[in-house]
Amino acid sequence: MKPIVRSIFTLSAFSFIERLLGFVFKIYLAGQLGATALGIYQVAFSFFMVLLTAITSGLPLVTAKRTAKCRAENALCEEYAISTASLIISIIASTAIIALTVALRNVIASSFASSTSMTLVLYMLPALLFSSVYSSFRGNLWGRQKYTLVSVLELIEQVFRIIACVVLFAIGFDKLTSTALSMSVACLISAAACAIAYFRSGGKLSKTNGEIKPLLKSSTPITLSRAASSVIASLTSIAVPFILMGIGHSSDQAMYVYGYSVGMALPLLYIPLTFVGSMAFVMIPSLSRAIASKNEKSVKMQIERTIGTAIVIGGIFVPAFAALGESVGSFLYANADAGAFLAFSAWLMIPIALENITSSMMNSLELELKALLFYVIGSAVMFGFIFIMGDSFTIEMLTVGMGISFTLSSILNIIAMRKEVKFRLDFIVTLIKTVALIIPSYFVTKWLYNIIALPTFFRLAISAVVGTAFMGVGCFLFGTLKIEYFLSERKKSGNNA
């Protein structure tokens, strides 16, 4: 197996465990809070993520790239200066954001459908300061290719968040307050663990040696690009409830609809896309090295293969969610509305995967600002579509709008990348074949679920596994899922000899 593929699988394994825990935690929260309260929390969380992205996106990535370069040149003193500068910038930025948010809390609260959302944001604010410490040291560990250690640290954060929330519930704290506070507790613990890992692995604090300004210059475009998605998510969380209220829903009804759709159903779609996220994580330094060494053949191959693989990964799981979504929603959340929305939204996995991987490639090609522009264009089209719907708007139209947005921004990303690198468009054939295979796989999955005479859990598990395997085998037979992508170079060379 290729080293890069081994890293992807390792990251995917940890990420899958982390997302699985998050998924179980989401089910637990849904049962404890209910769809309406979950909607209120989701609005607060979306706004909080905008603030968090401003601190934890650009700087860690640039720190990782610079650290990798320092390691290659054996310039450890410069590496320590970069990490220290990143830490200083992050702490100052998080402190300023916290102060500004507190000062403007009444203004911000007026934009939410429920003022309770602002209260929850305030409880989560300490997490920004803790995350600034975590992200700085994490960037160094990432640049040193300590992927397993970074994955363990992220898993620690998820585990302690669940523990903190359950304990706060048990001792009688308000459940919405406990959910928000658990974020700050978990970030404190993960920051401490990351700092310990950094220093125990030989990291040091030193003078910044003029590294603050270069870090800011390099990280700002990336931060703006990454923050765009969080801003759009936050705007969506604010706009959709108001639109629903405008067409006749009460505040509680609007929060219920938003809660079961965005709070319950959509997160399930992201669990199988763990592998795509891991590819994006590993690809940034890998593609950057190929570009820096002017290895055009490697650059083309990485882009072509990764886009095709992302499409297949997104498509493989569509039949299971489309065929079983309604039953999954009823089984996991005891909420048929969440299940119906999940089934309707299953197709969204392909554009999500495609947008995710192409935007990461744009970062490696130093096209971050163009990626930001394309994402904003796609999002503007989404909002335009939603508002054009007027009184005919339903929550399902949010899925359609998101699909249009992700697809448009992905197409624009690909066009921009092809101006820099003339890679082939074979993934279009991969897309057509994958979509064609979804139809028979859907009917196989649905048929199995209907004929199996077992308790619901086993019916879901068996039909999902068989249906997904049927789709995977079909992709292999039709040549869209290629095993040679995962073979080691040594083995491949031996076969060619």
Side-chain angles (χ1 to χ4, degrees):
M1 186 181 290
K2 297 179 182 179
I4 188 172
V5 175
R6 190 181 301 113
S7 297
I8 291 172
F9 274 112
T10 300
L11 283 170
S12 295
F14 277 101
S15 296
F16 179 78
I17 295 172
E18 181 189 351
R19 291 194 179 191
L20 183 62
L21 287 173
F23 164 63
V24 174
F25 183 50
K26 180 73 74 172
I27 296 174
Y28 173 72
L29 283 182
Q32 293 291 321
L33 301 179
T36 302
L38 187 61
I40 293 172
Y41 168 73
Q42 193 66 39
V43 171
F45 182 73
S46 296
F47 180 79
F48 169 76
M49 286 305 297
V50 175
L51 307 181
L52 186 64
T53 303
I55 299 167
T56 62
S57 55
L59 273 174
L61 177 57
V62 174
T63 300
K65 287 182 177 180
R66 297 282 304 280
T67 297
K69 181 181 178 183
C70 290
R71 286 273 158 169
E73 298 172 351
N74 199 29
L76 295 183
C77 291
E78 185 181 347
E79 173 189 325
Y80 301 145
I82 291 168
S83 298
T84 304
S86 176
L87 180 63
I88 292 172
I89 294 169
S90 296
I91 290 177
I92 293 175
S94 62
T95 303
I97 290 173
I98 290 171
L100 188 62
T101 303
V102 172
L104 298 176
R105 61 187 182 279
N106 292 331
V107 176
I108 298 171
S110 65
S111 66
F112 297 147
S114 172
S115 60
T116 305
S117 294
M118 188 64 227
T119 303
L120 300 182
V121 170
L122 295 176
Y123 283 120
M124 288 188 278
L125 283 181
L128 294 178
L129 182 60
F130 306 142
S131 295
S132 67
V133 176
Y134 171 83
S135 63
S136 299
F137 293 136
R138 174 181 176 273
N140 175 272
L141 297 173
W142 182 9
R144 289 157 62 183
Q145 296 184 320
K146 294 184 177 292
Y147 298 133
T148 301
L149 179 55
V150 171
S151 298
V152 170
L153 291 169
E154 292 179 351
L155 188 60
I156 286 173
E157 181 177 317
Q158 184 70 274
V159 169
F160 276 95
R161 188 180 179 204
I162 295 172
I163 293 173
C165 193
V166 172
V167 170
L168 289 171
F169 281 3
I171 61 179
F173 268 61
D174 175 76
K175 291 184 176 180
L176 269 174
T177 301
S178 299
T179 305
L181 275 175
S182 66
M183 175 69 73
S184 293
V185 173
C187 289
L188 171 61
I189 293 171
S190 63
C194 194
I196 292 171
Y198 172 78
F199 289 114
R200 290 197 64 178
S201 62
K204 299 177 182 179
L205 295 179
S206 68
K207 294 181 180 179
T208 59
N209 296 331
E211 290 291 345
I212 290 179
K213 187 175 179 179
L215 275 178
L216 282 173
K217 183 178 179 180
S218 299
S219 64
T220 298
I222 300 171
T223 299
L224 290 173
S225 179
R226 297 288 179 85
S229 61
S230 294
V231 170
I232 298 302
S234 182
L235 289 175
T236 303
S237 71
I238 293 172
V240 170
F242 276 115
I243 292 172
L244 291 170
M245 291 165 63
I247 60 177
H249 291 69
S250 67
S251 176
D252 284 350
Q253 288 173 335
M255 283 303 177
Y256 168 77
V257 172
Y258 192 76
Y260 78 65
S261 58
V262 179
M264 294 181 181
L266 284 185
L268 292 175
L269 298 181
Y270 285 86
I271 295 176
L273 295 177
T274 297
F275 193 83
V276 177
S278 299
M279 279 199 302
F281 189 85
V282 174
M283 164 157 277
I284 290 175
S286 175
L287 189 56
S288 296
R289 284 195 298 270
I291 293 169
S293 61
K294 297 182 180 179
N295 188 342
E296 187 175 348
K297 181 179 179 181
S298 177
V299 173
K300 289 181 179 180
M301 182 181 69
Q302 289 189 55
I303 292 175
E304 292 164 3
R305 291 183 173 183
T306 307
I307 292 178
T309 304
I311 290 171
V312 173
I313 292 170
I316 279 178
F317 299 96
V318 170
F321 280 108
L324 307 174
E326 293 186 31
S327 300
V328 169
S330 297
F331 178 74
L332 295 178
Y333 300 119
N335 191 306
D337 292 327
F341 186 82
L342 177 62
F344 181 86
S345 305
W347 63 275
L348 197 58
M349 297 181 72
I350 294 178
I352 289 175
L354 192 56
E355 199 282 330
N356 189 331
I357 206 67
T358 57
S359 62
S360 294
M361 291 176 180
M362 292 284 282
N363 288 334
S364 295
L365 292 169
E366 298 185 356
L367 299 173
E368 295 93 346
L369 290 179
K370 283 190 176 181
L372 168 62
L373 174 62
F374 299 153
Y375 190 86
V376 171
I377 291 173
S379 300
V381 172
M382 177 188 73
F383 281 115
F385 171 78
I386 290 173
F387 284 111
I388 287 174
M389 296 303 297
D391 291 342
S392 300
F393 176 79
T394 64
I395 196 62
E396 287 75 20
M397 294 302 101
L398 174 61
T399 297
V400 177
M402 291 173 66
I404 294 171
S405 172
F406 290 140
T407 301
L408 177 59
S409 58
S410 297
I411 291 172
L412 293 174
N413 285 341
I414 291 169
I415 291 172
M417 288 191 294
R418 289 202 79 229
K419 290 182 179 179
E420 301 293 323
V421 181
K422 299 299 182 183
F423 56 89
R424 295 177 300 176
L425 299 177
D426 293 353
F427 55 82
I428 295 177
V429 176
T430 298
L431 176 62
I432 295 171
K433 290 181 178 179
T434 301
V435 171
L437 285 167
I438 287 173
I439 299 172
S441 301
Y442 167 86
F443 285 109
V444 167
T445 307
K446 194 76 171 178
W447 172 73
L448 276 174
Y449 181 78
N450 289 333
I451 67 168
I452 295 175
L454 291 172
T456 303
F457 172 79
F458 295 103
R459 292 174 68 194
L460 287 171
I462 294 171
S463 54
V465 170
V466 174
T468 301
F470 181 89
M471 178 73 182
V473 171
C475 288
F476 175 72
L477 294 176
F478 277 80
T480 60
L481 185 61
K482 300 180 180 180
I483 300 300
E484 62 265 27
Y485 290 0
F486 305 98
L487 299 177
S488 66
E489 298 296 340
R490 181 180 301 175
K491 183 174 181 181
K492 190 173 179 182
S493 298
N495 290 340
N496 292 337

